[in-house]
Amino acid sequence: MSLSESTLKTADLYDIHEEALQVCSPVLRHYGGHHAFHGAIATLKCFEDNSLVREQLEQPGQGRVLVVDAGGSLRCAMLGDLLAQLAVDNGWTGVVMYGCIRDSVEIGEMPLGVMAMATHPRKSVKKGMGEVGGVVEFAGVNFRPGEWLYADEDGVVVLDKPAV
């Protein structure tokens, strides 16, 4: 079975690449306007400080997915509508947040894949703390820059190379 770009589904990817892919534990929910999205991974690790999220989303996304290890914090939002709009404007395909977002109604209307643990009205601090570009780990997966993330209604999987 081969897949075209338009028919990439995580269940099919699992069936084809079972030994080669990683599957996220189901700890994330969809919040963006696109529930199916994929792209090369860019990573960020930051805790309750979204300064570097803004810096990354201000850069050309080139169809990538920003994967943010926010430490699983449920105490503040790390992405809101303004940053999500930056992602759209700069060509990011999606944001996967191991933490919270806010402005979920507005984000749900944007042409962007957004997955997060929950929503929270509190904004984060801005101290410029965090690490860009390393391996981040959450939900049972090691996310490495340059690997490929695929998300849809069934979940999130990661492959070390594009599926097609």
Side-chain angles (χ1 to χ4, degrees):
M1 174 185 196
S2 65
L3 297 173
S4 71
E5 187 79 10
S6 64
T7 62
L8 293 173
K9 299 204 179 301
T10 58
D12 293 337
L13 290 170
Y14 180 86
D15 292 346
I16 295 167
H17 301 283
E18 180 178 352
E19 299 298 321
L21 60 70
Q22 300 178 75
V23 180
C24 282
S25 298
V27 298
L28 303 170
R29 294 183 47 204
H30 286 281
Y31 291 99
H34 290 170
H35 284 200
F37 61 97
H38 65 276
I41 294 170
T43 62
L44 178 56
K45 186 173 187 169
C46 48
F47 185 73
E48 298 181 1
D49 178 348
N50 74 348
S51 304
L52 295 181
V53 175
R54 172 179 287 282
E55 284 183 20
Q56 288 304 295
L57 295 177
E58 287 174 339
Q59 304 303 312
Q62 303 170 321
R64 291 177 295 162
V65 176
L66 181 62
V67 177
V68 181
D69 178 356
S73 174
L74 299 176
R75 300 189 311 188
C76 68
M78 296 289 286
L79 179 80
D81 61 342
L82 299 178
L83 295 187
Q85 188 60 54
L86 270 178
V88 171
D89 293 346
N90 290 316
W92 292 85
T93 300
V95 177
V96 174
M97 179 69 64
Y98 188 55
C100 295
I101 68 155
R102 66 187 206 164
D103 304 315
S104 62
V105 172
E106 293 84 355
I107 289 173
E109 296 172 356
M110 294 180 185
L112 180 69
V114 175
M115 295 186 76
M117 295 175 66
T119 60
H120 200 296
R122 180 182 293 134
K123 64 183 179 180
S124 78
V125 299
K126 314 287 190 268
K127 295 181 180 178
M129 305 287 289
E131 300 171 24
V132 176
V135 176
V136 298
E137 181 182 353
F138 59 86
V141 171
N142 290 309
F143 298 90
R144 292 176 181 85
E147 292 188 341
W148 282 71
L149 181 143
Y150 298 85
D152 64 14
E153 294 82 354
D154 290 329
V156 176
V157 298
V158 174
L159 278 167
D160 62 354
K161 61 183 182 238
V164 293

